[in-house]
DNA sequence: AGCTACAGGACTC
DNA sequence: CCTGGAGTCCTGTAGCT
């Protein structure tokens, strides 16, 4: 149910309050005692994008009639806040009528899944701390304090701290103070003394640099558990959950924070922490116990470890990389020359130009279409076409190598720092399933067999990279979650589950057995199976049926997931992490099907994410406890890479095995986890 | 002309 | 009915101001 109420005055607010309060989502458009600013309204609305806007009272109505929306609305009309998204505006001249409309709305909009209401915001009081900063730090040392910095740059090496802000509760009152030019060393000492609340801890950590994992709560990461589908940005969270008013949009358009008067920065900074504190309290109310322990055990401490991993970086063999690039440039040049003679001057990266050549000039048959309904020029299509035109094959190669050269190798070259290290960013909280992603550069999509793997090397003279990946990770998680007895038995006996499936279903190769196991565990349809692996549909259907008869627990597991999605609107993984998949009846079958697949995939992908992330945290603690020099440098979904001095390799391998097979001491997996270790001077296989 | 948004295609687990 | 899920990044193109 999605409604937006614009409250023209305070006394009327009370009447609406309990209707609004129950939904738990508030948006502020007015500052206390002042009239709402139309620009601010428009800004807020464009963020929330409500489907229905219910205006009541002449004051509210006039605001819109004179504002920039004037030309778009009539008495009942449509406003577009974004292309393709209609907003119905219902206008009631008086409160009684609005109340009646409000009462009827549920029946009309049964399909709207978000409730948004507009009412007076909570405006925190922000003050400058005028006494010595030591007193403030001492006062807040041991109490729960929201903390935030404003700086001149995102990078601590390039900028400096302008202000710091602190919010805490004293009795019932929320106190917020900001200070100017705090010393980094003071903050570093202060940080470790008590519980902290921050929004996006990795940023504050990189400036404050505490020496060990401490007690902090990250409202950004918590937001990812409350609703993984919503934007976790502080601004968006405040609009949605905290009756925040958009103070950030009132900041004039300065180029850089260093040009902004310090008291403006400080006040802004103060609003950030005050609202962060309120957001924290809201989250405390909606997160359940399992989510809180996942946060405490894994998610919060992980951000510290990720910061350390980013800071450490991974060492690159620059000479080798350069040689590789030269070789590839050479191949691109000869390849391009060859193709130019044959087909003319064509940009092979342009699907449009390739499409023109293949289907208009060469008049080849259209075998596959893209999602957008255009004839496909993908690798698979060209491979199929090249069966009759051998001369097309070099196109695949040239496209592949130019994309690798431009997409991967040049990124590696560019992002290597002066000392030969690449510092990727591990994004936590962005992926709906709980996985990490990597960017600048993305080190999680380095080619499996790519030559560039040999460029990743150890920072220690004579050192080694130790890489450990989980064996049959997803299959084991599926079996562990569904309590599948067959897979448990096979794994405990040390048999290969893929070979077993191959034999049972009388398949031709282990490869087929493996594909069947992996695809069916994450809920593929018979048709999808046939399409994906080139089996006939009847065979796919037969095997799928037999497979589920061998694994009745997995069949039940899938049924249960489907029920959860329909009844509760979300599914849960082994550790209490949720994936919200709102399905309403009006949506087409396509979306339903998709949601059902997502539901089946989530416990596996999301379970894997929490397992390996817990392992990273545990491994970090074990390495530090043992006083080793070795550093965790990469996490690639089912793999952890540690850079180790040669003499520590044996110990590191032991610790990796311990951390990865038992990532959460006290949590017993129905099917045990196992790892495969590789030790080398690079990460090449 | 410069910006943004998107689609398509490459790579990953 | 559609053709397991989750990402990043590059390029070209279309549409906007």
């Amino acid at each position: 149910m999605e409604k937006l109420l614009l409250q023209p005055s305070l006394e009327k607010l009370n009447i609406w309050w309990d209707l609004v309060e129950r939904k738990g989502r508030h948006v502020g458009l007015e500052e206390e005692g002042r009239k709402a600013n139309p620009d601010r309204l428009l800004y807020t609305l464009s963020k929330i994008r409500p489907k229905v806007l219910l205006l009541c009272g002449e004051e509210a109505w006039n605001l819109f009639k004179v504002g920039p929306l004037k030309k778009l609305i009539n008495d009942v009309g449509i406003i577009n806040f974004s292309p393709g998204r209609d907003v119905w505006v219902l206008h009631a001249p008086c409160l009684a009528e609005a109340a009646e409309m409000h009462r009827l709305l549920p029946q009309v909009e049964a399909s709207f899944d978000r409730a948004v209401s507009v009412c007076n915001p909570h405006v925190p009081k922000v003050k400058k701390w005028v006494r010595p900063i030591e007193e403030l730090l001492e006062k807040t040392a041991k109490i729960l304090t929201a903390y935030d910095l404003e700086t001149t740059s995102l990078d601590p090496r390039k900028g400096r701290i302008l202000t710091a802000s602190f919010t805490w509760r004293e009795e019932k009152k929320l106190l917020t103070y900001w200070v100017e030019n705090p010393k980094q060393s003071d903050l570093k000492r202060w940080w470790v003394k008590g519980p902290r609340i921050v929004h996006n801890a990795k940023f504050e950590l990189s400036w404050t640099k505490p020496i060990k994992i401490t007690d902090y709560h990250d409202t950004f990461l918590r937001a990812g558990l409350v609703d993984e589908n919503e934007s976790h940005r502080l601004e968006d969270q405040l609009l949605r959950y905290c009756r925040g008013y958009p103070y950030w949009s009132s900041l004039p358009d300065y180029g850089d924070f260093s040009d902004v008067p310090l008291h403006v920065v400080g006040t802004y900074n103060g609003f950030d922490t005050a609202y962060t504190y309120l957001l924290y309290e809201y989250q405390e109310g909606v997160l359940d116990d399992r989510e809180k322990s996942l946060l405490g055990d894994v998610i919060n401490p992980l951000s510290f470890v990720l910061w350390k991993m980013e800071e450490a970086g991974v060492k690159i063999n620059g000479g080798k990389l350069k040689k590789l690039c030269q070789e590839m440039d050479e191949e691109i040049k000869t390849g391009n020359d060859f193709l130019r003679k044959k087909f003319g001057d064509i940009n092979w990266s342009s699907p449009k130009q390739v499409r023109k050549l293949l289907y208009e000039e060469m008049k080849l048959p259209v075998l596959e279409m893209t999602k957008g309904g255009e004839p496909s020029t993908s690798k698979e299509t060209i491979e199929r076409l090249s069966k009759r035109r051998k001369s097309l094959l070099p196109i695949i190669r040239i496209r592949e190598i130019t994309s690798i050269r431009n997409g991967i190798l040049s990124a590696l070259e560019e992002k290597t720092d002066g000392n030969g290290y690449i510092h990727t960013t591990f994004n936590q909280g962005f992926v709906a399933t709980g996985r990490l992603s990597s960017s600048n550069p993305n080190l999680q999509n380095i080619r499996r067999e790519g030559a560039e793997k040999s460029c990743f090397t150890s920072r220690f003279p004579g050192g080694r990279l130790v890489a450990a990946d989980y064996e049959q990770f997803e299959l084991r998680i599926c079996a562990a979650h569904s309590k599948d007895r067959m897979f448990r038995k096979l794994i405990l006996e040390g048999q290969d589950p893929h070979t077993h499936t191959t034999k049972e279903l009388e398949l031709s190769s282990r490869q087929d057995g493996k594909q069947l196991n992996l695809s069916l565990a994450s809920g593929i349809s018979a048709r999808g199976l046939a399409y994906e692996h080139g089996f006939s549909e009847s065979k796919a259907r037969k095997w799928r049926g037999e497979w589920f008869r061998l694994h009745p627990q997995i069949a039940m597991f899938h049924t249960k997931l489907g029920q959860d999605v329909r009844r509760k609107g979300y599914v849960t993984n082994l550790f209490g992490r949720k994936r919200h998949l709102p399905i309403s009846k009006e949506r087409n079958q396509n979306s339903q099907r998709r949601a059902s697949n997502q539901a089946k995939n989530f416990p596996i992908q999301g379970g894997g994410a929490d397992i390996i992330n817990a392992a990273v945290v545990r491994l970090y603690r074990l390495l530090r406890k043992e006083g080793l020099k070795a550093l965790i440098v990469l996490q690639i979904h089912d793999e952890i890479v540690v850079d180790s001095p040669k003499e520590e390799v044996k110990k590191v391998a032991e610790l990796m095995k311990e951390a990865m097979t038992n990532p959460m001491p006290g949590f017993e997996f129905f099917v045990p986890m196992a790892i495969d270790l590789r030790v080398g001077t690079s990460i090449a296989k």
Side-chain angles (χ1 to χ4, degrees):
Chain A
M1 197 67 50
E2 183 160 5
K3 290 171 286 290
L4 191 67
L5 307 176
L6 178 65
Q7 290 305 324
S9 66
L10 264 174
E11 59 273 83
K12 287 172 188 169
L13 185 70
N14 298 328
I15 302 171
W16 290 101
W17 200 235
D18 83 337
L19 279 171
V20 167
E21 193 93 290
R22 275 205 309 272
K23 302 287 180 199
R25 296 181 173 182
H26 314 284
V27 193
L29 293 180
E30 294 176 49
E31 284 183 62
E32 248 163 323
R34 266 193 281 161
K35 276 196 185 168
N37 168 349
D39 293 342
R40 196 176 274 175
L41 280 174
L42 195 63
Y43 173 82
T44 309
L45 291 173
S46 71
K47 284 287 167 199
I48 306 162
R49 294 180 181 172
K51 279 185 181 168
V52 175
L53 187 63
L54 174 55
L55 302 174
C56 83
E58 281 315 300
E59 216 177 311
W61 183 239
N62 288 337
L63 197 60
F64 276 81
K65 270 167 75 174
V66 300
L69 302 177
K70 187 186 170 189
K71 62 174 189 283
L72 294 167
I73 53 175
N74 296 311
D75 273 12
V76 172
I78 298 169
I79 310 172
N80 264 315
F81 284 116
S82 63
R85 178 115 192 204
D86 294 336
V87 176
W88 289 88
V89 179
L90 308 175
H91 172 236
C94 68
L95 194 64
E97 216 168 300
E100 179 60 16
M101 279 164 66
H102 185 272
R103 197 179 64 75
L104 293 173
L105 277 175
Q107 298 160 34
V108 187
E109 322 137 13
S111 55
F112 299 143
D113 49 22
R114 276 185 302 155
V116 176
S117 52
V118 177
C119 56
N120 276 51
H122 182 287
V123 184
K125 302 239 182 321
V126 176
K127 289 185 198 152
K128 183 178 177 179
W129 184 267
V130 287
R131 303 182 58 78
I133 181 177
E134 291 75 23
E135 287 181 26
L136 177 65
L137 295 181
E138 198 174 316
K139 193 177 176 59
T140 54
K142 289 199 178 350
I143 51 178
L144 184 64
T145 309
Y147 162 70
D148 184 43
L149 294 174
E150 299 304 338
T151 59
T152 56
S153 162
L154 294 176
D155 185 345
R157 283 166 300 191
K158 291 179 189 148
R160 62 195 173 84
I161 303 174
L162 290 170
T163 63
S165 168
F166 306 82
T167 296
W168 67 98
R169 272 204 189 279
E170 222 166 82
E171 284 149 26
K172 288 216 158 166
K173 273 175 81 179
L174 204 62
L175 299 180
T176 300
Y177 289 95
W178 61 273
V179 297
E180 58 180 71
N181 303 320
K183 279 211 290 280
Q184 190 266 345
S185 52
D186 288 344
L187 298 174
K188 179 176 176 168
R189 274 198 301 278
W190 171 82
W191 174 282
V192 297
K193 286 183 184 163
R196 311 291 171 225
I197 303 168
V198 280
H199 194 81
N200 193 7
K202 204 133 64 78
F203 180 78
E204 265 68 35
L205 290 168
S206 70
W207 287 81
T208 316
K209 301 187 189 298
I211 44 167
K212 56 173 190 189
I213 303 178
T214 53
D215 180 14
Y216 63 85
H217 304 278
D218 187 334
T219 46
F220 179 88
L221 299 176
R222 289 157 68 92
L225 289 197
V226 172
D227 191 337
E228 75 286 354
N229 296 319
E230 296 291 348
S231 156
H232 311 164
R233 285 176 57 217
L234 185 58
E235 291 93 321
D236 297 326
Q237 288 283 311
L238 300 184
L239 286 175
R240 206 158 270 293
Y241 300 118
C242 293
R243 289 159 59 193
Y245 85 96
Y247 57 93
W248 51 89
S249 67
S250 64
L251 200 69
D253 198 14
Y254 296 99
D256 181 323
F257 259 176
S258 46
D259 305 330
V260 185
L262 221 52
H263 72 276
V264 177
V265 179
T267 308
Y268 181 91
N269 198 180
F271 273 116
D272 272 348
T273 51
Y275 275 126
T276 301
Y277 200 103
L278 291 174
L279 182 59
Y280 168 82
E281 290 183 336
Y282 167 77
Q283 291 169 341
E284 275 301 285
V286 292
L287 291 167
D288 63 33
D289 290 346
R290 296 186 78 196
E291 288 169 323
K292 281 180 192 169
S293 57
L294 189 63
L295 279 160
D297 296 344
V298 180
I299 299 172
N300 286 328
L302 179 65
S303 61
F304 179 93
V305 181
L306 292 178
W307 161 57
K308 292 302 252 187
M309 287 163 65
E310 288 174 8
E311 202 183 48
V314 54
K315 179 80 174 173
I316 294 298
N317 182 337
K320 219 170 202 174
L321 181 61
K322 202 169 170 191
K323 195 163 154 251
L324 214 68
C325 288
Q326 281 168 355
E327 282 170 19
M328 209 162 250
D329 286 341
E330 198 66 23
E331 196 184 341
I332 291 172
K333 196 175 168 299
T334 52
N336 263 331
D337 288 346
F338 175 79
L339 285 167
R340 193 175 304 116
K341 277 186 206 131
K342 213 154 194 144
F343 299 107
D345 224 349
I346 284 170
N347 180 346
W348 301 104
S349 309
S350 164
K352 203 182 167 189
Q353 291 182 30
V354 175
R355 195 140 47 219
K356 187 160 164 267
L357 171 79
L358 293 180
Y359 302 107
E360 286 178 32
E361 288 169 22
M362 298 177 72
K363 303 237 181 326
L364 291 166
V366 178
L367 300 174
E368 282 171 71
M369 302 293 263
T370 65
K371 217 170 40 186
E374 297 287 332
S376 171
T377 59
S378 69
K379 190 175 159 188
E380 283 76 30
T381 313
I382 297 181
E383 263 167 12
R384 285 173 66 189
L385 287 171
S386 66
K387 285 194 179 127
R388 67 183 81 190
R389 296 285 185 104
K390 282 272 185 297
S391 59
L392 293 176
L393 276 173
I395 297 174
I396 299 173
R397 177 70 184 153
I398 195 87
R399 233 168 28 177
E400 193 187 354
I401 58 177
T402 43
S403 121
I404 290 158
R405 177 66 179 90
N406 297 335
I408 299 175
L409 294 184
S410 56
L412 294 182
E413 273 185 319
E414 253 169 58
K415 302 285 158 64
T416 306
D417 72 6
N419 301 320
Y421 292 89
I422 290 183
H423 308 271
T424 183
T425 304
F426 288 105
N427 309 303
Q428 190 189 7
F430 285 88
V431 182
T433 54
R435 269 190 177 178
L436 304 179
S437 75
S438 155
S439 51
N440 283 312
N442 181 357
L443 295 184
Q444 288 178 323
N445 73 340
I446 300 295
R447 290 179 307 155
R448 221 164 154 31
E449 312 290 336
E452 61 274 20
K453 279 199 158 180
S454 63
C455 300
F456 290 76
T457 182
S458 172
R459 74 194 59 215
F460 302 105
R464 296 285 185 270
L465 291 178
V466 187
D469 63 325
Y470 282 103
E471 284 179 18
Q472 306 123 355
F473 198 28
E474 302 205 325
L475 190 70
R476 288 189 192 221
I477 295 163
C478 177
H481 198 164
S482 62
K483 296 198 160 37
D484 183 84
R485 285 202 288 273
M486 172 77 88
F487 280 136
R488 177 186 157 93
K489 182 170 163 282
L490 291 171
I491 285 161
L492 288 177
E493 286 172 358
Q495 292 191 54
D496 175 33
H498 301 323
T499 308
H500 185 263
T501 299
T502 311
K503 275 191 210 143
E504 283 288 325
L505 302 188
E506 294 167 357
L507 303 172
S508 47
S509 69
R510 181 180 176 275
Q511 187 59 26
D512 284 353
K514 184 178 174 182
Q515 288 190 340
L516 226 66
N517 276 346
L518 296 179
S519 304
L520 289 170
S522 50
I524 198 173
S525 65
R527 194 160 183 175
L529 193 65
Y531 176 85
E532 192 80 4
H533 307 304
F535 305 140
S536 79
E537 216 176 304
S538 58
K539 266 187 182 170
R541 187 161 296 123
K542 181 171 147 270
W543 286 333
R544 188 171 182 274
E546 282 179 29
W547 192 87
F548 277 112
R549 269 192 291 284
L550 288 171
H551 305 283
Q553 288 84 13
I554 297 178
M556 273 173 61
F557 175 54
H558 284 175
T559 311
K560 174 82 166 44
L561 290 168
Q563 283 174 356
D564 282 352
V565 169
R566 281 192 299 278
R567 287 183 196 157
K568 300 193 285 188
Y570 64 84
V571 287
T572 310
N573 79 354
L574 271 173
F575 313 103
R577 183 191 284 272
K578 292 171 186 157
R579 178 88 173 92
H580 297 85
L581 297 163
I583 311 180
S584 58
K585 289 189 183 96
E586 56 135 18
R587 293 225 193 129
N588 59 29
Q589 265 192 334
N590 234 344
S591 318
Q592 299 244 2
R593 179 88 209 171
R594 189 177 139 79
S596 154
N597 289 333
Q598 286 173 313
K600 287 171 189 163
N601 179 260
F602 167 70
I604 299 175
Q605 192 181 125
D610 288 326
I611 290 171
I612 192 156
N613 288 340
V616 167
V617 172
R618 177 128 201 264
L619 178 61
Y620 180 84
R621 289 186 159 130
L622 290 175
L623 289 170
R624 294 294 80 84
K625 194 175 144 204
E626 297 289 327
L628 300 182
K629 291 199 189 79
L631 297 163
I632 308 175
V633 290
L634 292 176
Q635 186 264 47
I636 318 170
H637 309 309
D638 70 344
E639 178 177 4
I640 299 175
V641 180
V642 174
D643 187 356
S644 167
K646 198 174 179 193
E647 62 276 13
E648 289 183 6
V649 167
K650 199 167 162 242
K651 186 77 192 163
V652 165
E654 263 170 45
L655 296 181
M656 287 177 92
K657 187 169 181 207
E658 168 59 21
M660 291 174 80
T661 53
N662 188 17
M664 305 176 189
F667 189 100
E668 282 293 318
F669 291 102
F670 185 77
V671 173
M673 297 296 147
I675 60 162
D676 184 34
L677 268 166
R678 303 193 314 274
V679 181
T681 50
S682 77
I683 52 172
K685 299 205 169 163

